[in-house]
Amino acid sequence: MTSGSTPEVADSVDALYSQIITAGTYKAESIKVAEAAKVIENTQRDLNIALINELAIIFNRLSIDTEAVLKAAGTKWNFLPFRPGLVGGHCIGVDPYYLTFKAQAVGYHPEIVSAGRRLNDGMGQYVSMRMIKAMLKRRIQIEGAKILVLGLTFKENCPDLRNTRHRCGARAGGIRRAGRCPRSVGRCRSGT
């Protein structure tokens, strides 16, 4: 998607990107429209993941295998295949906050967007606590245990760790309080 501060700039930007982007471009009527489109794309994805995260929490409490449910639901033609997990990065984890800020500036308090963000922000702690409980159930001593964290970024082959949730989950979930500093491996290596 392209746009510009004037119609002439928009045409120039779109012409430039049209030479680079083989899938084609879409020239939005204004920068505000282009930015709003990007914000709702990321907010919609965030909310879809929040829904699946909440369902995963519910299914876990009901002793229902979330993966089996998602596989069965995937046989329906209109099912959107989102997966439970941590949400971060520099777009999906940030744009809903930007939208909420702008909405509140004009006197509107978005409830659904905020609820989705709260749920997704709490998933690091949820995952960490589930891991600790699983370790205790298997009589694995938390103190001194080696913890490996995989999947730190939000795209394959991407070294970008901005707003990644792995550190939040480790802190909030009690791993550090239990005396452990998780290690990560892969193309992106972090000290924590």
Side-chain angles (χ1 to χ4, degrees), residues 3-166:
S3 191
S5 56
T6 66
E8 296 78 23
V9 170
D11 289 340
S12 295
V13 169
D14 194 64
L16 174 66
Y17 275 89
S18 293
Q19 295 174 16
I20 302 166
I21 307 299
T22 58
T25 63
Y26 176 85
K27 185 170 57 172
E29 64 185 59
S30 69
I31 293 173
K32 282 186 176 183
V33 167
E35 288 296 328
K38 185 63 176 168
V39 166
I40 67 167
E41 173 194 355
N42 288 323
T43 300
Q44 183 179 48
R45 185 165 177 77
D46 188 47
L47 289 172
N48 281 323
I49 296 169
L51 172 63
I52 298 300
N53 280 339
E54 188 162 58
L55 292 172
I57 292 168
I58 293 167
F59 295 149
N60 179 55
R61 290 184 179 200
L62 294 172
S63 299
I64 299 173
D65 182 350
T66 300
E67 292 298 319
V69 172
L70 293 175
K71 183 177 178 183
T75 66
K76 302 300 180 189
W77 70 269
N78 59 347
F79 178 73
L80 300 175
F82 288 92
R83 314 295 301 168
L86 305 179
V87 178
H90 64 282
C91 291
I92 296 175
V94 175
D95 281 354
Y97 283 124
Y98 176 70
L99 179 60
T100 299
F101 172 79
K102 294 301 279 184
Q104 289 173 343
V106 295
Y108 183 78
H109 301 281
E111 295 178 32
I112 294 172
V113 173
S114 298
R117 236 355 19 240
R118 277 192 309 276
L119 196 135
N120 283 340
D121 281 347
M123 285 305 289
Q125 181 174 1
Y126 175 77
V127 169
S128 294
M129 292 310 295
R130 287 213 43 212
M131 181 189 67
I132 288 170
K133 286 178 184 178
M135 290 172 71
L136 292 172
K137 186 176 181 179
R138 289 172 180 78
R139 300 183 193 273
I140 297 171
Q141 179 70 31
I142 303 294
E143 181 67 36
K146 294 184 185 212
I147 300 167
L148 176 65
V149 179
L150 301 173
L152 301 180
T153 64
F154 297 95
K155 290 182 183 175
E156 292 179 18
N157 300 316
C158 176
D160 190 353
L161 290 172
R162 286 180 288 173
N163 300 313
T164 188
R165 306 307 299 170
H166 79 283

